[in-house]
Amino acid sequence: MSRQEKKRVRHSVHIKKSGMMKAFILIAAALVLYVPLFAGYKARAVAADSMADDRKIAITFDDGPHPYYTEQLLDGLKERGVKATFFVMGKHVEENPELVERMYSEGHLIGNHTYSHIQLNKSNGDTFKEELVKTSELIEELTGQEVQYVRPPYGSWDKKFEKELNMFPVLWTIDPLDWCSDNVAVIVQKVTSKAKENSIILLHDEYKTTVTAALQIIDELQKEGYEFVTVDEIFFD
């Protein structure tokens, strides 16, 4: 082989080595750039999954306790390890004191829904207040705990009662109007389609369809990663 041919071979080898070195440098640079980026995406995905698993939601029941359906509901909640909030009516507390005691002993939060489901208006403020006081006294006799939360019927409320009675009003964010429907699937769909973190679901534990729907709602939302809590945890945690 001539000297010129040898020179061309050495030049070709040099070019190949140079190209391989450049390729190696580019690959190394890409790894330095994208591996941490991928790790960051993965970490955020894991964090998002963790947050999804911790999404809190509250399920609440008005107008009880009912002598039959509330007991069924409590059985279902206990089986699922779920804590709910019950806004009870004073006259039903008098009729079913053992159910209020069971609610309390099983860790549910008990709130006030007046004595007779009276709606507050401009002319009945004193009567409304008396019903709240009477109902709170009935609950406290059974539980030994001060009643701090009230679900005012129809959402009618006067802020002066908050200071006078040391009570906090609790409204709702999801109302499937279960009291006027006997279609379980419709009630379930109305709730699950609107559910999001910190939602407060309004239901009534005096209807068979509501009890069935409530337990299906819980089953579906638990599968989606929701944790059912009492309303105080929504407000203050």
Side-chain angles (χ1 to χ4, degrees):
M1 183 182 293
S2 67
R3 181 182 296 177
Q4 190 173 3
E5 288 174 337
K6 290 180 179 179
K7 186 176 180 179
R8 282 199 298 269
V9 169
R10 286 198 298 270
H11 181 67
S12 177
V13 171
H14 175 73
I15 290 174
K16 289 180 179 179
K17 287 183 177 179
S18 177
M20 291 174 64
M21 181 61 70
K22 288 180 180 178
F24 176 77
I25 292 171
L26 288 173
I27 292 171
L31 288 172
V32 169
L33 177 63
Y34 290 109
V35 167
L37 187 61
F38 174 76
Y41 283 138
K42 185 175 181 181
R44 285 192 290 273
V46 170
D49 288 342
S50 177
M51 288 177 63
D53 289 341
D54 293 329
R55 288 181 296 175
K56 293 183 178 180
I57 195 167
I59 190 164
T60 69
F61 299 93
D62 288 7
D63 294 356
H66 186 278
Y68 181 70
Y69 296 126
T70 300
E71 185 172 15
Q72 282 191 328
L73 177 61
L74 288 170
D75 289 343
L77 295 174
K78 185 175 182 180
E79 180 181 342
R80 291 161 175 78
V82 165
K83 306 303 180 190
T85 303
F86 290 87
F87 292 99
V88 296
M89 291 171 55
K91 65 179 184 179
H92 293 159
V93 172
E94 287 182 327
E95 295 164 355
N96 307 284
E98 71 286 350
L99 289 176
V100 177
E101 291 174 335
R102 179 180 173 186
M103 289 174 188
Y104 178 71
S105 67
E106 293 181 358
H108 303 293
L109 183 64
I110 303 173
N112 192 321
H113 199 45
T114 75
Y115 184 85
S116 66
H117 207 271
I118 184 176
Q119 181 175 11
L120 179 65
N121 58 45
K122 293 181 179 179
S123 63
N124 68 355
D126 289 340
T127 302
F128 184 86
K129 180 179 177 180
E130 289 171 3
E131 287 211 8
L132 289 177
V133 171
K134 183 176 182 179
T135 301
S136 288
E137 289 175 349
L138 289 169
I139 298 169
E140 290 168 13
E141 286 177 8
L142 295 169
T143 66
Q145 297 293 316
E146 179 184 7
V147 180
Q148 295 182 310
Y149 300 95
V150 54
R151 168 73 51 78
Y154 310 102
S156 302
W157 183 246
D158 189 329
K159 285 187 68 66
K160 71 179 181 181
F161 294 132
E162 295 173 26
K163 184 174 289 186
E164 292 179 11
L165 302 177
N166 191 32
M167 299 187 78
F168 189 83
V170 179
L171 299 183
W172 53 88
T173 61
I174 301 176
D175 180 5
L177 300 177
D178 61 302
W179 55 272
C180 64
S181 175
D182 59 1
N183 190 318
V184 170
V186 169
I187 297 171
V188 172
Q189 192 277 333
K190 284 182 177 180
V191 174
T192 55
S193 65
K194 296 178 181 178
K196 59 183 180 180
E197 186 174 7
N198 295 326
S199 290
I200 299 177
I201 304 164
L202 168 62
L203 294 168
H204 301 78
D205 55 321
E206 57 180 332
Y207 305 106
K208 179 181 180 180
T209 50
T210 293
V211 172
T212 303
L215 298 179
Q216 289 186 18
I217 289 165
I218 290 168
D219 290 342
E220 289 194 23
L221 293 182
Q222 282 185 327
K223 290 177 183 177
E224 294 181 20
Y226 284 96
E227 177 190 1
F228 284 87
V229 298
T230 51
V231 294
D232 53 329
E233 292 191 51
I234 296 289
F235 291 131
F236 298 114
D237 274 13

